[in-house]
Amino acid sequence: QLQASGGGLVQAGGSLRLSCVASGGAFNSYTIAWFRQGPGKEREVAAVISSSAGTTYYANSVKGRFTISRDNAENTVVLQMNSLKPEDTAVYYCAAATGWRIIAAYYDYWGQGTQVTVSS
């Protein structure tokens, strides 16, 4: 089970820190990703981190502004979002998959989502 938190309302240029806490299962064997779905948009991947944290992936739209990290001892993945833009407004979901995956269809477990709203 995944629990996402940390969303909120922030002005453009601001920062937010999203957390995804897992319970049950072998957390350190899963790739964890943050996906997002903006109003009227398709769900898209924002950032991905491998089970060992040795590999990360960022969508071009967030590269250089977002940082994904994990603490396997605490069963937690964090998405630090800086220099936020109005186009980052979306519901953000954390998800878990076995193996290195970028596409949402391969993710087996999903958190409930947390709303991020960036005002201009």
Side-chain angles (χ1 to χ4, degrees):
Q1 188 174 4
L2 301 174
Q3 182 76 29
S5 63
L9 173 64
V10 65
Q11 288 188 330
S15 298
L16 281 175
R17 181 181 172 92
L18 305 185
S19 294
C20 177
V21 180
S23 59
F27 177 77
N28 60 5
S29 67
Y30 288 94
T31 292
I32 304 294
W34 285 96
F35 290 86
R36 65 185 186 179
Q37 187 165 15
K41 297 181 181 179
E42 297 286 325
R43 185 174 296 190
E44 63 177 2
V45 65
V48 185
I49 189 165
S50 64
S51 58
S52 66
T55 304
T56 56
Y57 168 88
Y58 296 94
N60 287 335
S61 57
V62 308
K63 201 172 293 183
R65 301 185 298 119
F66 291 12
T67 302
I68 190 170
S69 61
R70 69 188 295 163
D71 182 342
N72 285 340
E74 297 292 330
N75 285 5
T76 300
V77 170
V78 169
L79 184 68
Q80 178 66 43
M81 307 186 296
N82 299 327
S83 302
L84 283 161
K85 304 175 181 181
E87 51 263 44
D88 294 317
T89 294
V91 178
Y92 284 71
Y93 301 88
C94 60
T98 54
W100 178 252
R101 306 292 187 184
I102 302 297
I103 299 173
Y106 290 108
Y107 280 75
D108 301 309
Y109 305 100
W110 290 80
Q112 84 287 5
T114 184
Q115 176 71 47
V116 171
T117 303
V118 185
S119 64
S120 57

